[in-house]
Structures are given as structure tokens and as C-alpha cells.
Coordinates of all heavy atoms in Angstrom, one line a residue:
Y18 N 34.7 -34.6 -62.5 CA 34.2 -34.8 -61.2 C 33.8 -33.5 -60.5 O 34.4 -32.5 -60.8 CB 35.2 -35.5 -60.3 CG 35.4 -36.9 -60.8 CD1 36.7 -37.3 -61.2 CD2 34.4 -37.9 -61.0 CE1 37.0 -38.6 -61.6 CE2 34.7 -39.1 -61.4 CZ 36.0 -39.5 -61.7 OH 36.2 -40.8 -62.2
N19 N 32.8 -33.6 -59.7 CA 32.4 -32.4 -58.9 C 33.3 -32.2 -57.7 O 33.8 -33.2 -57.1 CB 31.0 -32.5 -58.4 CG 30.0 -32.7 -59.5 OD1 30.2 -32.2 -60.6 ND2 29.0 -33.5 -59.2
L20 N 33.6 -31.0 -57.3 CA 34.2 -30.7 -56.0 C 33.1 -30.5 -55.0 O 32.2 -29.7 -55.3 CB 35.2 -29.5 -56.1 CG 36.4 -29.7 -57.0 CD1 37.2 -28.4 -57.0 CD2 37.2 -30.8 -56.6
Y21 N 33.1 -31.2 -53.9 CA 32.0 -31.1 -53.0 C 32.5 -31.2 -51.6 O 33.2 -32.2 -51.2 CB 31.0 -32.2 -53.3 CG 29.7 -32.0 -52.7 CD1 28.7 -31.2 -53.4 CD2 29.3 -32.6 -51.5 CE1 27.5 -31.1 -52.9 CE2 28.0 -32.4 -51.0 CZ 27.1 -31.7 -51.7 OH 25.9 -31.5 -51.2
P22 N 32.2 -30.2 -50.7 CA 32.7 -30.3 -49.3 C 32.0 -31.5 -48.6 O 30.8 -31.7 -48.7 CB 32.2 -29.0 -48.7 CG 31.9 -28.1 -49.8 CD 31.5 -29.0 -51.0
L23 N 32.8 -32.4 -48.0 CA 32.3 -33.6 -47.4 C 31.3 -33.2 -46.3 O 30.2 -33.8 -46.1 CB 33.4 -34.4 -46.8 CG 33.1 -35.7 -46.1 CD1 32.4 -36.6 -47.1 CD2 34.3 -36.4 -45.6
N24 N 31.5 -32.1 -45.5 CA 30.6 -31.8 -44.4 C 29.2 -31.4 -45.0 O 28.2 -31.7 -44.3 CB 31.2 -30.7 -43.5 CG 31.5 -29.4 -44.3 OD1 31.6 -29.4 -45.5 ND2 31.7 -28.3 -43.5
K25 N 29.2 -30.8 -46.2 CA 27.9 -30.4 -46.7 C 27.1 -31.7 -47.1 O 25.9 -31.8 -47.0 CB 28.0 -29.5 -48.0 CG 28.7 -28.2 -47.7 CD 27.7 -27.4 -46.8 CE 28.4 -26.0 -46.6 NZ 27.7 -25.3 -45.5
M26 N 27.8 -32.7 -47.6 CA 27.1 -34.0 -48.0 C 26.6 -34.6 -46.7 O 25.4 -35.1 -46.7 CB 28.1 -34.9 -48.6 CG 27.5 -36.3 -49.0 SD 28.8 -37.4 -49.7 CE 29.3 -36.6 -51.1
L27 N 27.3 -34.6 -45.6 CA 26.9 -35.2 -44.4 C 25.7 -34.5 -43.8 O 24.8 -35.1 -43.2 CB 28.1 -35.3 -43.4 CG 29.2 -36.2 -43.8 CD1 30.4 -36.1 -42.9 CD2 28.7 -37.6 -43.9
E28 N 25.8 -33.1 -43.8 CA 24.6 -32.4 -43.3 C 23.4 -32.7 -44.1 O 22.3 -32.8 -43.5 CB 24.9 -30.9 -43.4 CG 26.0 -30.4 -42.4 CD 26.5 -29.0 -42.7 OE1 26.0 -28.3 -43.7 OE2 27.4 -28.6 -41.9
A29 N 23.5 -32.9 -45.4 CA 22.3 -33.3 -46.2 C 21.8 -34.6 -45.8 O 20.6 -34.8 -45.7 CB 22.6 -33.2 -47.7
L30 N 22.7 -35.6 -45.6 CA 22.2 -36.9 -45.1 C 21.6 -36.8 -43.7 O 20.6 -37.5 -43.5 CB 23.4 -37.9 -45.1 CG 24.0 -38.3 -46.4 CD1 25.3 -39.0 -46.2 CD2 23.0 -39.1 -47.2
K31 N 22.1 -36.0 -42.8 CA 21.6 -35.9 -41.5 C 20.2 -35.3 -41.6 O 19.2 -35.7 -40.9 CB 22.5 -35.0 -40.6 CG 22.0 -34.8 -39.2 CD 22.1 -36.1 -38.5 CE 21.8 -35.9 -37.0 NZ 21.9 -37.1 -36.2
E32 N 20.0 -34.3 -42.5 CA 18.7 -33.7 -42.6 C 17.7 -34.7 -43.2 O 16.5 -34.7 -42.8 CB 18.8 -32.5 -43.6 CG 17.5 -31.7 -43.7 CD 17.7 -30.5 -44.6 OE1 18.7 -29.7 -44.3 OE2 16.9 -30.3 -45.5
R33 N 18.1 -35.6 -44.0 CA 17.2 -36.6 -44.6 C 16.9 -37.7 -43.7 O 15.7 -38.2 -43.7 CB 17.9 -37.2 -45.9 CG 17.1 -38.2 -46.6 CD 17.7 -38.6 -47.9 NE 17.0 -39.7 -48.5 CZ 17.3 -40.1 -49.7 NH1 18.3 -39.7 -50.4 NH2 16.6 -41.1 -50.3
Y34 N 17.8 -38.2 -42.9 CA 17.6 -39.4 -42.0 C 17.4 -39.0 -40.6 O 17.1 -39.9 -39.8 CB 18.7 -40.4 -42.2 CG 18.7 -40.9 -43.6 CD1 19.7 -40.5 -44.6 CD2 17.8 -41.9 -44.0 CE1 19.6 -41.0 -45.9 CE2 17.8 -42.4 -45.3 CZ 18.7 -41.9 -46.2 OH 18.7 -42.4 -47.5
G35 N 17.7 -37.8 -40.1 CA 17.4 -37.4 -38.8 C 18.2 -38.1 -37.7 O 19.4 -38.4 -37.9
Q36 N 17.5 -38.4 -36.6 CA 18.2 -38.8 -35.4 C 18.9 -40.2 -35.5 O 19.8 -40.6 -34.7 CB 17.3 -38.8 -34.2 CG 16.8 -37.5 -33.8 CD 17.9 -36.6 -33.3 OE1 19.0 -36.7 -33.6 NE2 17.5 -35.6 -32.4
V37 N 18.4 -41.0 -36.4 CA 18.9 -42.4 -36.6 C 20.4 -42.3 -37.0 O 21.2 -43.2 -36.8 CB 18.1 -43.3 -37.5 CG1 18.2 -42.8 -38.9 CG2 18.4 -44.7 -37.3
L38 N 20.8 -41.2 -37.7 CA 22.1 -41.1 -38.2 C 23.0 -40.3 -37.3 O 22.7 -39.2 -36.9 CB 22.1 -40.4 -39.6 CG 23.4 -40.3 -40.4 CD1 23.9 -41.7 -40.7 CD2 23.2 -39.4 -41.6
V39 N 24.1 -41.0 -36.8 CA 25.0 -40.4 -35.9 C 26.3 -40.0 -36.6 O 26.9 -40.9 -37.2 CB 25.3 -41.3 -34.7 CG1 26.3 -40.7 -33.7 CG2 24.0 -41.8 -34.0
L40 N 26.6 -38.7 -36.6 CA 27.8 -38.2 -37.2 C 28.8 -37.8 -36.2 O 28.4 -37.5 -35.1 CB 27.4 -37.1 -38.2 CG 26.4 -37.4 -39.3 CD1 26.1 -36.1 -40.0 CD2 27.0 -38.4 -40.2
P41 N 30.1 -37.7 -36.6 CA 31.1 -37.1 -35.6 C 30.7 -35.7 -35.2 O 30.0 -35.0 -35.9 CB 32.4 -37.1 -36.5 CG 32.1 -38.0 -37.6 CD 30.7 -38.0 -37.9
E42 N 31.0 -35.3 -34.0 CA 30.7 -34.0 -33.5 C 31.2 -32.9 -34.3 O 30.5 -31.9 -34.6 CB 31.2 -33.9 -32.0 CG 30.3 -34.6 -31.0 CD 30.7 -34.3 -29.6 OE1 31.2 -33.2 -29.3 OE2 30.5 -35.2 -28.8
S43 N 32.4 -33.1 -34.8 CA 32.9 -32.0 -35.7 C 33.1 -32.7 -37.1 O 33.8 -33.6 -37.3 CB 34.2 -31.5 -35.2 OG 35.4 -32.0 -35.8
L44 N 32.3 -32.2 -38.0 CA 32.3 -32.7 -39.4 C 33.6 -32.3 -40.1 O 34.0 -31.1 -40.0 CB 31.1 -32.2 -40.1 CG 29.7 -32.7 -39.6 CD1 28.6 -32.1 -40.4 CD2 29.7 -34.2 -39.6
P45 N 34.2 -33.2 -40.8 CA 35.4 -32.8 -41.6 C 35.1 -31.8 -42.6 O 34.2 -31.8 -43.4 CB 35.8 -34.1 -42.2 CG 34.6 -35.0 -42.2 CD 33.7 -34.6 -41.1
N46 N 36.0 -30.7 -42.6 CA 35.8 -29.6 -43.5 C 36.8 -29.8 -44.6 O 37.8 -29.0 -44.7 CB 36.0 -28.3 -42.8 CG 35.6 -27.1 -43.7 OD1 34.9 -27.3 -44.7 ND2 36.1 -25.9 -43.3
I47 N 36.6 -30.8 -45.4 CA 37.5 -31.1 -46.6 C 36.7 -31.1 -47.8 O 35.5 -31.3 -47.8 CB 38.3 -32.4 -46.4 CG1 37.3 -33.6 -46.4 CG2 39.1 -32.4 -45.2 CD1 38.0 -34.9 -46.6
T48 N 37.3 -30.9 -48.9 CA 36.7 -30.9 -50.2 C 37.2 -32.2 -50.9 O 38.4 -32.4 -51.0 CB 37.0 -29.7 -51.1 OG1 36.5 -28.5 -50.4 CG2 36.4 -29.8 -52.4
L49 N 36.2 -33.0 -51.4 CA 36.6 -34.2 -52.1 C 37.0 -33.9 -53.5 O 36.4 -33.1 -54.2 CB 35.4 -35.1 -52.1 CG 34.8 -35.6 -50.7 CD1 33.5 -36.3 -50.9 CD2 35.8 -36.4 -50.0
R50 N 38.1 -34.5 -53.8 CA 38.7 -34.3 -55.2 C 38.9 -35.7 -55.8 O 39.1 -36.7 -55.1 CB 40.0 -33.6 -55.2 CG 39.8 -32.1 -54.8 CD 41.2 -31.4 -54.8 NE 41.0 -30.0 -54.7 CZ 41.0 -29.4 -53.5 NH1 41.2 -30.0 -52.4 NH2 40.9 -28.0 -53.5
S51 N 39.0 -35.8 -57.1 CA 39.3 -37.1 -57.8 C 38.3 -38.2 -57.4 O 38.7 -39.3 -57.3 CB 40.7 -37.5 -57.4 OG 41.6 -36.6 -57.8
I52 N 37.1 -37.8 -57.2 CA 36.0 -38.8 -56.9 C 34.7 -38.3 -57.5 O 34.5 -37.1 -57.5 CB 35.9 -39.0 -55.4 CG1 35.0 -40.2 -55.1 CG2 35.4 -37.8 -54.7 CD1 35.1 -40.6 -53.7
D53 N 33.9 -39.2 -57.9 CA 32.6 -38.8 -58.3 C 31.7 -38.7 -57.1 O 31.3 -39.7 -56.5 CB 32.0 -39.9 -59.3 CG 30.7 -39.5 -59.9 OD1 29.9 -38.7 -59.3 OD2 30.4 -40.0 -61.0
T54 N 31.4 -37.5 -56.7 CA 30.7 -37.3 -55.4 C 29.3 -37.8 -55.5 O 28.7 -38.2 -54.5 CB 30.7 -35.8 -55.0 OG1 30.3 -35.0 -56.0 CG2 32.1 -35.4 -54.6
N55 N 28.7 -37.8 -56.7 CA 27.3 -38.3 -56.8 C 27.3 -39.8 -56.5 O 26.4 -40.3 -55.9 CB 26.8 -38.1 -58.2 CG 26.5 -36.6 -58.5 OD1 26.1 -35.9 -57.6 ND2 26.8 -36.2 -59.7
K56 N 28.4 -40.5 -57.0 CA 28.5 -42.0 -56.7 C 28.7 -42.2 -55.2 O 28.2 -43.1 -54.6 CB 29.6 -42.6 -57.5 CG 29.2 -42.8 -58.9 CD 30.3 -43.5 -59.7 CE 29.9 -43.6 -61.2 NZ 30.9 -44.2 -62.0
L57 N 29.5 -41.4 -54.6 CA 29.8 -41.5 -53.1 C 28.5 -41.3 -52.3 O 28.2 -42.0 -51.4 CB 30.9 -40.5 -52.7 CG 31.2 -40.5 -51.2 CD1 31.7 -41.8 -50.7 CD2 32.2 -39.4 -50.8
L58 N 27.8 -40.2 -52.7 CA 26.5 -40.0 -52.0 C 25.5 -41.1 -52.2 O 24.9 -41.6 -51.2 CB 25.9 -38.7 -52.6 CG 24.6 -38.2 -51.9 CD1 24.7 -38.0 -50.4 CD2 24.1 -37.0 -52.6
R59 N 25.4 -41.7 -53.4 CA 24.6 -42.8 -53.6 C 25.0 -44.0 -52.8 O 24.2 -44.7 -52.2 CB 24.6 -43.2 -55.1 CG 23.7 -44.3 -55.5 CD 22.2 -43.8 -55.5 NE 21.5 -44.7 -54.6 CZ 20.4 -44.3 -54.0 NH1 19.8 -43.2 -54.2 NH2 19.8 -45.2 -53.2
M60 N 26.3 -44.2 -52.7 CA 26.8 -45.3 -51.9 C 26.4 -45.1 -50.4 O 25.9 -46.1 -49.7 CB 28.3 -45.4 -52.0 CG 28.9 -46.5 -51.2 SD 30.7 -46.4 -51.2 CE 31.0 -45.0 -50.2
M61 N 26.6 -43.9 -49.9 CA 26.3 -43.6 -48.5 C 24.8 -43.9 -48.3 O 24.4 -44.5 -47.3 CB 26.6 -42.2 -48.1 CG 28.1 -41.9 -48.2 SD 29.1 -42.6 -46.9 CE 28.5 -41.6 -45.6
V62 N 23.9 -43.4 -49.2 CA 22.5 -43.5 -49.1 C 22.1 -45.0 -49.1 O 21.3 -45.5 -48.3 CB 21.7 -42.8 -50.2 CG1 20.3 -43.2 -50.3 CG2 21.8 -41.3 -50.0
N63 N 22.8 -45.8 -49.9 CA 22.5 -47.3 -50.0 C 22.9 -47.9 -48.6 O 22.1 -48.8 -48.2 CB 23.3 -47.9 -51.1 CG 22.8 -47.6 -52.5 OD1 21.6 -47.2 -52.6 ND2 23.6 -47.9 -53.5
F64 N 24.0 -47.6 -48.1 CA 24.4 -48.2 -46.8 C 23.4 -47.8 -45.7 O 22.9 -48.6 -44.9 CB 25.8 -47.7 -46.3 CG 26.9 -48.3 -47.0 CD1 28.0 -47.6 -47.5 CD2 26.9 -49.7 -47.2 CE1 29.1 -48.2 -48.1 CE2 28.0 -50.3 -47.9 CZ 29.1 -49.6 -48.3
I65 N 23.0 -46.5 -45.7 CA 22.0 -46.1 -44.7 C 20.7 -46.8 -44.8 O 20.1 -47.3 -43.9 CB 21.9 -44.6 -44.7 CG1 23.2 -43.9 -44.3 CG2 20.7 -44.1 -43.8 CD1 23.3 -42.4 -44.6
E66 N 20.2 -46.8 -46.1 CA 18.9 -47.4 -46.3 C 18.9 -48.9 -46.1 O 17.9 -49.5 -45.6 CB 18.4 -47.1 -47.7 CG 18.0 -45.6 -47.8 CD 17.4 -45.2 -49.1 OE1 17.4 -46.0 -50.0 OE2 17.0 -44.0 -49.2
N67 N 20.0 -49.6 -46.4 CA 20.1 -51.0 -46.0 C 20.1 -51.2 -44.5 O 19.4 -52.2 -44.1 CB 21.4 -51.6 -46.6 CG 21.4 -51.8 -48.1 OD1 20.3 -51.8 -48.7 ND2 22.5 -51.9 -48.7
S68 N 20.7 -50.4 -43.8 CA 20.6 -50.5 -42.3 C 19.2 -50.3 -41.8 O 18.8 -51.0 -40.9 CB 21.6 -49.4 -41.7 OG 22.9 -49.7 -42.0
L69 N 18.5 -49.3 -42.4 CA 17.1 -49.1 -42.0 C 16.2 -50.2 -42.3 O 15.3 -50.5 -41.6 CB 16.6 -47.8 -42.6 CG 17.3 -46.5 -42.2 CD1 16.8 -45.3 -43.0 CD2 17.0 -46.3 -40.7
K70 N 16.5 -51.0 -43.4 CA 15.7 -52.1 -43.8 C 15.7 -53.2 -42.7 O 14.8 -54.0 -42.6 CB 16.1 -52.7 -45.1 CG 15.7 -51.8 -46.3 CD 16.2 -52.4 -47.6 CE 16.0 -51.5 -48.7 NZ 16.6 -51.9 -50.0
V71 N 16.8 -53.3 -42.0 CA 16.9 -54.4 -40.9 C 16.6 -53.8 -39.5 O 17.0 -54.3 -38.5 CB 18.3 -55.1 -41.0 CG1 18.4 -55.8 -42.3 CG2 19.4 -54.1 -40.8
N72 N 15.9 -52.7 -39.5 CA 15.4 -52.0 -38.3 C 16.5 -51.5 -37.4 O 16.4 -51.5 -36.2 CB 14.5 -53.0 -37.5 CG 13.3 -53.3 -38.3 OD1 12.7 -52.5 -39.0 ND2 12.8 -54.6 -38.3
S73 N 17.6 -51.0 -38.0 CA 18.6 -50.4 -37.1 C 18.1 -49.1 -36.5 O 17.3 -48.4 -37.2 CB 19.8 -50.1 -38.0 OG 20.4 -51.2 -38.5
T74 N 18.4 -48.9 -35.3 CA 18.0 -47.7 -34.6 C 19.0 -46.6 -34.6 O 18.8 -45.5 -34.2 CB 17.5 -48.0 -33.2 OG1 18.5 -48.6 -32.5 CG2 16.3 -48.9 -33.2
Q75 N 20.3 -47.0 -34.9 CA 21.4 -46.1 -34.9 C 22.4 -46.5 -35.9 O 22.8 -47.6 -36.0 CB 22.1 -46.1 -33.5 CG 23.1 -45.0 -33.4 CD 23.7 -45.0 -32.0 OE1 24.5 -45.8 -31.6 NE2 23.3 -44.0 -31.2
I76 N 22.7 -45.5 -36.8 CA 23.7 -45.7 -37.9 C 24.8 -44.7 -37.6 O 24.5 -43.5 -37.6 CB 23.0 -45.5 -39.2 CG1 21.8 -46.5 -39.4 CG2 24.1 -45.7 -40.3 CD1 20.9 -46.1 -40.5
R77 N 26.0 -45.1 -37.4 CA 27.1 -44.3 -37.1 C 28.1 -44.2 -38.3 O 28.5 -45.2 -38.9 CB 27.9 -44.8 -35.9 CG 29.0 -43.9 -35.4 CD 29.6 -44.5 -34.1 NE 28.6 -44.6 -33.1 CZ 28.1 -43.6 -32.3 NH1 28.6 -42.4 -32.5 NH2 27.2 -43.8 -31.4
V78 N 28.4 -43.0 -38.7 CA 29.3 -42.7 -39.8 C 30.6 -42.1 -39.2 O 30.5 -41.1 -38.5 CB 28.7 -41.7 -40.9 CG1 29.7 -41.4 -42.0 CG2 27.4 -42.4 -41.4
N79 N 31.7 -42.6 -39.5 CA 33.0 -42.1 -39.0 C 34.0 -42.0 -40.2 O 33.8 -42.6 -41.2 CB 33.6 -43.0 -37.9 CG 32.9 -42.9 -36.6 OD1 32.9 -41.8 -36.1 ND2 32.3 -43.9 -36.2
F80 N 35.1 -41.2 -39.9 CA 36.1 -40.9 -40.9 C 37.5 -41.1 -40.3 O 37.7 -40.8 -39.2 CB 35.9 -39.5 -41.4 CG 34.6 -39.2 -41.9 CD1 33.6 -38.8 -41.1 CD2 34.3 -39.4 -43.3 CE1 32.3 -38.6 -41.6 CE2 33.0 -39.2 -43.7 CZ 32.0 -38.8 -42.9
R81 N 38.4 -41.5 -41.2 CA 39.8 -41.5 -40.9 C 40.6 -41.0 -42.1 O 40.3 -41.4 -43.2 CB 40.2 -42.9 -40.5 CG 41.6 -43.0 -40.0 CD 42.1 -44.4 -39.6 NE 42.5 -45.1 -40.8 CZ 42.0 -46.2 -41.2 NH1 41.1 -46.9 -40.5 NH2 42.4 -46.8 -42.3
F82 N 41.5 -40.1 -41.8 CA 42.3 -39.5 -42.9 C 43.7 -39.9 -42.7 O 44.3 -39.7 -41.7 CB 42.1 -38.0 -42.9 CG 40.7 -37.5 -42.9 CD1 40.0 -37.2 -41.7 CD2 40.0 -37.5 -44.1 CE1 38.7 -36.8 -41.8 CE2 38.7 -37.1 -44.1 CZ 38.0 -36.7 -43.0
D83 N 44.2 -40.6 -43.7 CA 45.6 -41.1 -43.7 C 46.3 -40.6 -45.0 O 45.9 -41.0 -46.1 CB 45.7 -42.6 -43.7 CG 45.3 -43.2 -42.4 OD1 45.5 -42.5 -41.3 OD2 44.7 -44.3 -42.4
L84 N 47.2 -39.6 -44.9 CA 47.9 -39.0 -46.0 C 46.9 -38.6 -47.0 O 46.1 -37.6 -46.8 CB 48.9 -40.0 -46.6 CG 50.0 -40.5 -45.7 CD1 50.8 -41.5 -46.3 CD2 50.9 -39.3 -45.2
C85 N 46.8 -39.2 -48.2 CA 45.8 -38.8 -49.2 C 44.6 -39.7 -49.3 O 44.0 -39.8 -50.4 CB 46.5 -38.6 -50.5 SG 47.3 -40.1 -51.2
I86 N 44.4 -40.5 -48.3 CA 43.3 -41.5 -48.3 C 42.3 -41.2 -47.3 O 42.6 -40.9 -46.1 CB 43.8 -42.9 -48.1 CG1 44.8 -43.4 -49.2 CG2 42.7 -43.9 -48.0 CD1 45.5 -44.7 -48.9
T87 N 41.0 -41.2 -47.6 CA 39.9 -41.0 -46.7 C 39.2 -42.3 -46.5 O 38.8 -42.9 -47.5 CB 39.0 -39.9 -47.2 OG1 39.7 -38.7 -47.4 CG2 37.8 -39.7 -46.2
V88 N 39.1 -42.8 -45.3 CA 38.4 -44.0 -45.0 C 37.0 -43.6 -44.3 O 37.0 -42.9 -43.3 CB 39.2 -44.9 -44.1 CG1 38.4 -46.2 -43.8 CG2 40.5 -45.3 -44.7
I89 N 35.9 -44.0 -44.9 CA 34.6 -43.8 -44.4 C 34.0 -45.1 -43.9 O 34.0 -46.1 -44.7 CB 33.7 -43.1 -45.4 CG1 34.3 -41.8 -46.0 CG2 32.3 -42.9 -44.8 CD1 33.5 -41.3 -47.1
T90 N 33.6 -45.2 -42.6 CA 33.0 -46.4 -42.1 C 31.5 -46.1 -41.8 O 31.2 -45.0 -41.3 CB 33.7 -46.9 -40.9 OG1 33.7 -45.9 -39.9 CG2 35.1 -47.4 -41.2
V91 N 30.7 -47.0 -42.0 CA 29.3 -46.9 -41.7 C 28.9 -48.2 -40.8 O 29.1 -49.3 -41.3 CB 28.4 -46.9 -42.9 CG1 26.9 -46.8 -42.5 CG2 28.8 -45.7 -43.8
Q92 N 28.5 -47.9 -39.6 CA 28.2 -49.0 -38.7 C 26.7 -48.9 -38.2 O 26.3 -47.7 -38.0 CB 29.1 -49.0 -37.5 CG 30.5 -49.2 -37.8 CD 31.4 -49.0 -36.6 OE1 31.4 -48.0 -36.0 NE2 32.2 -50.1 -36.2
D93 N 26.0 -50.0 -38.0 CA 24.7 -49.9 -37.5 C 24.5 -50.9 -36.4 O 25.4 -51.7 -36.1 CB 23.6 -50.1 -38.6 CG 23.7 -51.5 -39.2 OD1 23.8 -52.5 -38.5 OD2 23.6 -51.6 -40.4
D94 N 23.4 -50.9 -35.7 CA 23.1 -51.8 -34.6 C 22.1 -52.9 -35.0 O 21.4 -53.5 -34.2 CB 22.6 -51.1 -33.4 CG 21.3 -50.3 -33.6 OD1 20.9 -50.3 -34.8 OD2 20.8 -49.7 -32.7
G95 N 22.1 -53.2 -36.3 CA 21.3 -54.2 -36.8 C 21.8 -55.6 -36.5 O 22.9 -55.8 -35.9
P96 N 21.1 -56.7 -36.9 CA 21.4 -58.0 -36.6 C 22.6 -58.6 -37.3 O 23.2 -59.6 -36.9 CB 20.2 -58.8 -36.9 CG 19.5 -58.0 -38.0 CD 19.8 -56.6 -37.7
G97 N 23.1 -57.9 -38.4 CA 24.2 -58.4 -39.1 C 23.8 -59.5 -40.1 O 22.7 -59.9 -40.2
F98 N 24.9 -60.1 -40.7 CA 24.6 -61.2 -41.6 C 24.5 -62.5 -40.8 O 25.3 -62.8 -39.9 CB 25.7 -61.3 -42.6 CG 25.8 -60.2 -43.6 CD1 26.7 -59.1 -43.4 CD2 24.9 -60.0 -44.6 CE1 26.7 -58.1 -44.3 CE2 24.9 -59.0 -45.5 CZ 25.8 -58.0 -45.3
P99 N 23.7 -63.4 -41.3 CA 23.5 -64.7 -40.6 C 24.8 -65.6 -40.8 O 25.5 -65.5 -41.7 CB 22.3 -65.4 -41.2 CG 21.9 -64.6 -42.4 CD 22.7 -63.3 -42.3

């Protein structure tokens, strides 16, 4: 697996998607370990692009760190599932 700083991944996503993507004011400065960062990035891109397909105007990414677990949430202002 690659070691990849999470904040660098988020900065790349912000550069790609611009103002529609809302990130925490202070990006977590952690290095992901024991994870395929390419798969994580693909997953994040899929969530963001799915939100854009339903005309979301704001996509918010947040993080929670509990012991050795990182929880990433992606929320948008789209219509949701029927």
C-alpha cells in the first residue's frame, strides 16, 4: 500500500471540484497506513461525482478520528433517495 498524507488527497480533490466541495477548515495532517489510497481516492471521487449528478450545490467532507479508526463522511444537499 502507498503511504499518502490525507490532507494532500483532499487538496487535490478541492482543486479538481472547486467551490462545490466543502472541506474542514483545518485539514487533518495524518498519513494513511494499511489502506489502498488509490481505492480510497476512487471512492471519494465516486461519492463526489454521484452528488454532482443529482445537482448538489454543496458537498461536505468531514472526518472523525477514534483511536485507530478514521471515519470519513460525505454529505450533499441533493434530493436523496426516493
Side-chain angles (χ1 to χ4, degrees):
Y18 294 120
N19 301 328
L20 295 180
Y21 198 82
L23 184 57
N24 59 345
K25 296 294 183 195
M26 180 185 299
L27 295 172
E28 288 169 1
L30 289 171
K31 183 68 173 178
E32 187 173 309
R33 180 174 178 175
Y34 293 103
Q36 297 294 29
V37 72
L38 187 61
V39 179
L40 300 174
E42 286 187 27
S43 102
L44 296 178
N46 189 17
I47 64 167
T48 299
L49 300 172
R50 292 184 170 89
S51 302
I52 189 168
D53 185 334
T54 53
N55 291 325
K56 287 182 181 177
L57 176 62
L58 181 58
R59 183 73 240 157
M60 180 189 70
M61 298 283 291
V62 166
N63 286 343
F64 284 137
I65 293 166
E66 290 184 355
N67 286 344
S68 294
L69 292 173
K70 286 178 187 174
V71 295
N72 298 321
S73 296
T74 58
Q75 188 175 75
I76 303 164
R77 184 173 303 278
V78 177
N79 285 299
F80 304 88
R81 189 178 79 236
F82 305 99
D83 293 325
L84 301 174
C85 61
I86 297 173
T87 301
V88 178
I89 302 171
T90 57
V91 180
Q92 298 173 301
D93 63 46
D94 60 355
F98 293 102

